[in-house]
Amino acid sequence: MSGHDSKYFSTTKKGEIPELKEELNSQYKDKRKDAVKKVIAAMTVGKDVSSLFADVVNCMQTENLELKKLVYLYLINYAKSQPDLAILAVNTFVKDTQDPNPLIRALAVRTMGCIRVEKITEYLCDPLQRCLKDGDPYVRKTAAICVAKLYDINAELVEERGFLESLTNLISDNNPMVVANAVAALAEIQDTSSKIVFQVTRPILAKLLAALNECTEWGQVFILDALSKYKSADAREAENIVERVTPRLQHANCAVVLSAVKMILQQMEVITSPDLTRNLCKKMAPPLVTLLSAEPEIQYVALRNINLIVQRRPTILAHEIKVFFCKYNDPIYVKMEKLEIMIKLASERNIDQVLLEFKEYATEVDVDFVRKGVRAIGRCAIKLERAAERCISVLLELIKIKVNYVVQEAIIVIKDIFRRYPNTYESIIATLCESLDTLDEPEAKASMIWIIGEYAERIDNADELLESFLESFPEEPAQVQLQLLTATVKLFLKKPTEGPQQMIQVVLNNATLETDNPDLRDRAYIYWRLLSTDPEAAKDVVLAEKPVISDDSNQFDSSLLSELLANIATLSSVYHKPPETFVTRVRTIPKTEEEELPEGFSNTPRAHILNGAPSPTTIPVSPYALTKQTSLPPASIPDLLDLGLDVDVGNSNAMVPVDSPSAPTGPSLPILLPAANGQGLQISAQLVRRDGKVFYNLILENNTQNSLDGFMIQFNKNTFGLAAGGPLQIPELLPGTTRKALLPMVMFQNMAPGSPNSLLQVAVKNNQQPVWYFNDRISLFVLFTEDGKMERDIFLETWRSLPDSNEVSKEIRGILINNVDATIEELASSNMFFIAKRKKKNQEVLYLSAKLPRGIPLLIELTAVLGSPGVKCALKTPSPEMAPLFFEALETLFQA
């Protein structure tokens, strides 16, 4: 629309719709065109003009390109609400896809793809196939994107009509923009498909690299993103790829630069030459620095990506720390990110420069930024042992300024420094004690109290200092009360004189009788019993040597960092979260399929398998609960509570314990907190997988005489970092009633260090009772993703590529398999997908695949004699430490 078209948005007169209807049916072309513009204007401002659908469709029969575009725009908006009338436009669409003008052909096929009406899709197929082979590249590139849209509407139709093969053929097109759009469409389809649709091979790699230089900037982004998923066979191939991609670092578009950086970083993992790695790091520094001269919003995105890059490759920007120094006019969000990166790049060589900069920030006017700057000094001290003394000197200088919030933040970070370097810098405690009266923030108070308690034997008047805090004990926040309690106990154990003895009595009385905080009360009772029964044991517990804290500047573990680096230049790298934690993709999974056996296994007949797709009345359930389901009542409130889901898994007799003729039926969920232990509150719970997501399924039963409300839940650190994805929404639980809740879970939030295990420690509290703690188990099957199905050749190739040391075997005794097909179907319901089977003498050997989050494949071999006890399981995976958890889950599944 031209600049003079604002008149169409002007205030409307009475009877606007009839007037527009009359104008749309006018015999004059100009009048019809103006009427369509008025309709679009009304639609744009939110008015309902759907009643004019048939009249607007009549205007499609025109040679005027502008009018045709406006009518198409209207159709896209209203076709879904008028599907029957939308069919009227089909003939015109089909006719337009054969128009001599390529712009009209492309416009027609694009519009048909945007109209998400099931009835129209079947009419779209023939025109789309023609357009994919059109002589004009503009039409072909538009048709390529249309295939992805059609796949989203009807995946089966796309596969049946061979559109995926046509798209793959377009990668060989002589026009680079067609190639880029084909890659974009295939990548989009792959994201929503459960099977491999698009994989970059060597022939495709060569074509993509050839098209890269001639594409538009967004075409280059699509191609670079596809190339970043390619795994080079050796260092030489990786070097060749990097050489072709490196010129993209000089591009003016920030997205191209970041995509090129992502691609190079991925290939650097394969490159073995230290000199080449060093040169690549030097080449990547200038373009990343250049991104910081853009607008603040682009700077922020660049800084979030750089934050990840320097965690893996700090040498890239090791000599460029000055570019991260904050400018006076930087927005606060840019300043905060720069601070984080400066901490990561701080080294013994540049620490003096960095400390001067941080000291300058402590005099800024923005209080939050000042606090962050002071805390940054402490983090540098924890990171660099040799520079710790210089950092403490700067902190003491800042304390002497006597600015309240600076002093308090300095005390907080000095507490952390004491924990990092115990018995090293205690000489400064006297200086800290001078600022005692100025402390009014809970964290600063708690830190100072911790210092006094920890070093009570070195502070002559430690009892007087703590006593000054005790006067206001009941009014203090919980954080300060807990520290006061522990510090007073430490003082008493170190100086068991009359003064501390009276103080400990006052504190314990306050913490047990005068408080309603269960954490404080429980800790006070533990200390009281320890002190009254065995003071020496109390010393061993309370005064035990504490673990030294470590540098937290590289906050992501290696596997999560690798995943985030693989998603550079996407929202994932800005949020610093894996895509699955904030993006929900609906994967297209066929209901059944016939699978041929891979070569080299055997020539046994084909087997029908169930691919784990939930039907309208069936939902995937936890493997621990294969026979522990129940029909739940209909939903009564519109949230995650009381979901009316009918669970129908069936009573397969494929797998049964030897000493039992059939699998026993147990309660709906395992009871984790019996009513006897929960003062009348009973909690049953279990992790389940539904629609590709993990939930915590809970049933709470109130057997008390009182109503319970204010329910909260928390999960301790665990192997998979499982945590609540939202609050536990339980309405008031009346006496004698039961409530069900389905709590969404997120992963990789709070990961426990050490060897993997299946323990899940849970804490639940409410307003009327203390905190209840109980243990649950994490079934590995709940975490298996729906895209774990492997093609046969990929399965074989992966099995051969993994070393023998990555294979773990276990004999699961006491189990018998009666029926192979039923067993395959049962395993498929837990996202373990059948690949092949063969006979080995009198034994049946099954090959299956599964996938854990973050793309960790599991290759499974099950060997059993039908009707005889015992199943031998062999697991081959890049993460063999997961084997015990797999065997534990498998054994539970068979026993169920």
Side-chain angles (χ1 to χ4, degrees):
M1 292 167 70
S2 66
H4 303 290
D5 290 337
S6 57
K7 61 186 178 183
Y8 301 113
F9 292 84
S10 59
T11 308
T12 57
K13 302 186 290 294
K14 188 179 179 183
E16 178 189 23
I17 298 295
E19 283 181 13
L20 286 172
K21 197 178 188 75
E22 186 181 328
E23 290 176 21
L24 287 167
N25 291 298
S26 169
Q27 59 181 333
Y28 302 108
K29 290 181 181 178
D30 290 343
K31 206 166 186 179
R32 288 204 302 271
K33 183 175 171 184
D34 282 355
V36 173
K37 286 187 177 183
K38 287 178 186 175
V39 171
I40 297 297
M43 183 181 81
T44 306
V45 296
K47 292 178 183 173
D48 182 13
V49 285
S50 59
S51 59
L52 297 170
F53 194 92
D55 304 288
V56 174
V57 169
N58 287 337
C59 296
M60 283 179 72
Q61 303 286 352
T62 177
E63 298 299 318
N64 187 305
L65 186 59
E66 184 185 6
L67 178 56
K68 199 175 279 286
K69 283 183 179 178
L70 290 170
V71 174
Y72 281 1
L73 183 62
Y74 176 90
L75 282 171
I76 291 169
N77 199 49
Y78 282 116
K80 204 161 189 178
S81 61
Q82 306 270 3
D84 294 328
L85 290 174
I87 298 291
L88 300 174
V90 166
N91 285 336
T92 309
F93 280 133
V94 174
K95 183 182 171 187
D96 282 352
T97 58
Q98 296 172 309
D99 194 277
N101 186 340
L103 291 176
I104 291 179
R105 296 202 299 275
L107 181 64
V109 79
R110 178 192 290 130
T111 308
M112 286 183 83
C114 291
I115 296 175
R116 301 180 60 81
V117 176
E118 193 77 35
K119 292 179 181 178
I120 286 184
T121 53
E122 56 191 85
Y123 298 102
L124 172 60
C125 292
D126 290 335
L128 184 55
Q129 279 178 331
R130 278 199 306 273
C131 289
L132 284 168
K133 297 171 183 175
D134 197 279
D136 192 283
Y138 181 75
V139 180
R140 294 200 302 277
K141 82 180 184 68
T142 306
I145 296 297
C146 189
V147 173
K149 291 178 180 177
L150 181 59
Y151 190 89
D152 197 35
I153 302 167
N154 192 333
E156 288 181 12
L157 186 65
V158 170
E159 291 176 14
E160 284 171 13
R161 298 296 292 266
F163 285 120
L164 295 180
E165 290 77 9
S166 300
L167 262 188
T168 308
N169 292 337
L170 285 183
I171 293 176
S172 306
D173 199 278
N174 55 10
N175 185 286
M177 262 319 297
V178 176
V179 175
N181 277 23
V183 168
L186 285 166
E188 179 74 20
I189 291 169
Q190 182 63 74
D191 283 342
T192 56
S193 174
S194 62
K195 52 188 180 184
I196 294 172
V197 172
F198 175 52
Q199 199 168 29
V200 179
T201 58
R202 280 194 178 179
I204 291 177
L205 174 72
K207 291 167 187 171
L208 295 185
L209 288 171
L212 186 61
N213 295 329
E214 301 171 46
C215 278
T216 64
E217 50 196 17
W218 295 111
Q220 291 179 33
V221 171
F222 292 137
I223 290 176
L224 286 168
D225 284 347
L227 289 174
S228 67
K229 296 180 173 66
Y230 179 71
K231 306 292 182 195
S232 299
D234 51 40
R236 186 176 181 81
E237 186 181 24
E239 289 170 19
N240 291 335
I241 294 170
V242 167
E243 189 180 345
R244 301 280 293 276
V245 172
T246 304
R248 300 301 101 210
L249 293 172
Q250 312 304 321
H251 204 283
N253 187 305
C254 306
V256 176
V257 172
L258 284 174
S259 294
V261 167
K262 169 171 68 176
M263 171 70 188
I264 293 169
L265 285 171
Q266 298 290 82
Q267 298 303 329
M268 282 172 72
E269 300 295 323
V270 184
I271 294 171
T272 53
S273 166
D275 292 338
L276 181 57
T277 302
R278 198 161 40 247
N279 287 337
L280 287 172
C281 288
K282 285 180 184 175
K283 285 180 181 177
M284 279 192 280
L288 289 173
V289 169
T290 304
L291 294 179
L292 300 182
S293 59
E295 300 84 21
E297 294 79 10
I298 292 177
Q299 280 188 56
Y300 178 75
V301 172
L303 288 165
R304 293 291 282 177
N305 281 276
I306 288 169
N307 192 325
L308 298 173
I309 292 165
V310 297
Q311 287 185 55
R312 178 58 55 86
R313 301 274 179 184
T315 52
I316 292 175
L317 293 162
H319 302 290
E320 306 286 349
I321 196 164
K322 281 190 176 180
V323 302
F324 299 104
F325 287 0
C326 299
K327 298 172 186 170
Y328 75 95
N329 59 348
D330 279 341
I332 186 65
Y333 55 86
V334 169
K335 286 182 177 179
M336 294 297 196
E337 283 306 313
K338 285 184 173 180
L339 265 181
E340 282 294 323
I341 294 169
M342 286 165 67
I343 295 167
K344 289 178 173 60
L345 294 178
S347 63
E348 290 171 16
R349 193 183 64 256
N350 60 27
I351 189 64
D352 291 326
Q353 264 184 313
V354 172
L355 286 176
L356 277 173
E357 193 70 14
F358 287 165
K359 189 178 175 184
E360 191 69 29
Y361 299 158
T363 60
E364 292 269 350
V365 291
D366 189 309
V367 176
D368 288 337
F369 183 54
V370 170
R371 290 178 185 278
K372 197 86 170 176
V374 175
R375 198 157 285 206
I377 297 171
R379 288 173 65 186
C380 285
I382 291 167
K383 178 183 178 183
L384 304 168
E385 186 171 354
R386 292 186 184 177
E389 195 166 343
R390 280 174 278 175
C391 295
I392 287 175
S393 301
V394 173
L395 289 170
L396 290 176
E397 288 175 37
L398 293 175
I399 288 174
K400 288 173 186 172
I401 298 173
K402 300 289 184 187
V403 176
N404 191 17
Y405 54 84
V406 174
V407 172
Q408 301 199 80
E409 202 65 38
I411 287 173
I412 292 167
V413 298
I414 286 172
K415 182 260 291 182
D416 287 338
I417 293 171
F418 282 175
R419 290 188 63 195
R420 177 73 176 87
Y421 309 109
N423 305 315
T424 308
Y425 299 108
E426 286 71 32
S427 56
I428 67 169
I429 291 175
T431 311
L432 301 181
C433 291
E434 292 171 11
S435 307
L436 213 58
D437 298 334
T438 64
L439 304 181
D440 55 15
E441 294 175 9
E443 193 176 1
K445 277 187 180 181
S447 298
M448 193 67 226
I449 291 165
W450 181 87
I451 292 170
I452 294 168
E454 191 68 16
Y455 299 101
E457 74 278 11
R458 304 189 191 186
I459 304 172
D460 297 334
N461 61 339
D463 50 347
E464 294 173 19
L465 296 175
L466 284 179
E467 204 163 6
S468 64
F469 288 105
L470 287 177
E471 294 167 5
S472 58
F473 184 89
E475 291 79 41
E476 295 289 359
Q479 184 180 11
V480 178
Q481 290 179 332
L482 286 164
Q483 280 298 349
L484 262 174
L485 171 62
T486 303
T488 310
V489 172
K490 286 178 181 176
L491 174 65
F492 173 71
L493 291 171
K494 291 178 178 181
K495 295 182 177 179
T497 55
E498 187 178 346
Q501 198 165 352
Q502 291 174 346
M503 285 170 63
I504 193 70
Q505 195 62 47
V506 171
V507 171
L508 289 173
N509 278 330
N510 276 329
T512 53
L513 303 176
E514 305 295 329
T515 183
D516 56 0
N517 183 327
D519 293 337
L520 180 65
R521 191 168 58 240
D522 289 352
R523 189 184 292 193
Y525 277 129
I526 289 169
Y527 285 152
W528 202 326
R529 285 168 189 162
L530 272 172
L531 292 169
S532 57
T533 55
D534 191 348
E536 288 304 314
K539 275 188 179 182
D540 292 340
V541 172
V542 181
L543 304 180
E545 191 173 330
K546 291 159 191 63
V548 175
I549 64 171
S550 57
D551 169 32
D552 66 343
S553 55
N554 292 335
Q555 66 262 45
F556 298 121
D557 67 82
S558 180
S559 58
L560 176 56
L561 182 59
S562 296
E563 185 172 359
L564 293 176
L565 286 171
N567 287 289
I568 280 181
T570 67
L571 272 180
S572 177
S573 65
V574 178
Y575 290 164
H576 286 184
K577 291 180 178 179
E580 62 268 17
T581 61
F582 62 91
V583 175
T584 304
R585 289 196 179 104
V586 180
R587 291 193 174 274
T588 307
I589 305 175
K591 291 177 184 174
T592 59
E593 63 179 52
E594 201 168 39
E595 184 68 54
E596 289 185 13
L597 301 179
E599 292 174 35
F601 283 110
S602 76
N603 294 318
T604 50
R606 295 180 176 186
H608 291 279
I609 62 166
L610 183 68
N611 211 1
S615 68
T617 57
T618 306
I619 55 171
V621 295
S622 163
Y624 280 107
L626 278 172
T627 56
K628 300 177 182 177
Q629 310 87 14
T630 183
S631 294
L632 306 180
S636 57
I637 51 176
D639 61 7
L640 294 176
L641 302 171
D642 300 331
L643 292 181
L645 298 168
D646 294 324
V647 183
D648 177 19
V649 174
N651 296 320
S652 166
N653 63 349
M655 301 172 288
V656 296
V658 171
D659 55 355
S660 171
S662 63
T665 54
S668 58
L669 290 175
I671 298 171
L672 302 181
L673 179 71
N677 297 350
Q679 296 179 6
L681 173 66
Q682 179 171 295
I683 299 177
S684 306
Q686 189 170 57
L687 284 167
V688 297
R689 187 175 191 87
R690 296 183 178 176
D691 300 329
K693 296 178 185 176
V694 179
F695 294 90
Y696 201 50
N697 199 2
L698 295 111
I699 299 176
L700 286 81
E701 186 178 323
N702 184 4
N703 298 301
T704 70
Q705 301 302 312
N706 305 311
S707 295
L708 303 177
D709 60 14
F711 282 93
M712 298 172 69
I713 190 167
Q714 191 165 347
F715 298 86
N716 199 3
K717 289 184 178 181
N718 54 80
T719 294
F720 299 98
L722 283 164
L728 181 59
Q729 300 179 34
I730 301 273
E732 184 179 6
L733 193 56
L734 300 174
T737 61
T738 299
R739 287 281 186 186
K740 301 177 179 68
L742 199 61
L743 178 70
M745 303 288 285
V746 292
M747 296 181 67
F748 311 119
Q749 298 293 307
N750 199 13
M751 298 178 70
S755 303
N757 64 73
S758 61
L759 181 64
L760 182 66
Q761 296 175 316
V762 190
V764 174
K765 68 171 288 188
N766 58 64
N767 290 337
Q768 289 74 30
Q769 295 181 316
V771 181
W772 300 117
Y773 301 94
F774 53 86
N775 292 340
D776 199 353
R777 311 302 295 183
I778 302 170
S779 166
L780 208 61
F781 296 166
V782 175
L783 310 181
F784 283 173
T785 59
E786 285 68 20
D787 61 343
K789 181 80 162 73
M790 280 189 179
E791 295 299 324
R792 57 186 185 182
D793 51 344
I794 293 175
F795 182 93
L796 279 168
E797 187 180 333
T798 308
W799 186 283
R800 290 170 185 148
S801 65
L802 290 170
D804 291 341
S805 57
N806 282 39
E807 185 174 341
V808 186
S809 299
K810 183 179 180 181
E811 183 86 26
I812 302 175
R813 300 184 180 280
I815 304 298
L816 65 86
I817 292 181
N818 292 329
N819 184 300
V820 171
D821 289 340
T823 301
I824 290 169
E825 196 170 304
E826 198 82 64
L827 293 170
S829 69
S830 296
N831 288 338
M832 282 184 286
F833 300 106
F834 173 71
I835 304 295
K837 68 176 180 178
R838 66 185 176 94
K839 287 194 86 68
K840 182 181 177 184
K841 296 181 181 177
N842 63 334
Q843 295 177 320
E844 293 284 344
V845 184
L846 303 181
Y847 295 91
L848 306 107
S849 70
K851 188 190 283 186
L852 283 168
R854 297 186 175 170
I856 300 172
L858 283 79
L859 284 66
I860 306 151
E861 181 187 70
L862 296 179
T863 307
V865 178
L866 291 183
S868 296
V871 174
K872 184 185 177 184
C873 178
L875 177 71
K876 209 166 189 183
T877 172
S879 302
E881 65 275 8
M882 291 293 172
L885 274 67
F886 175 79
F887 295 137
E888 178 187 329
L890 190 66
E891 198 160 357
T892 308
L893 172 64
F894 278 158
Q895 294 287 3

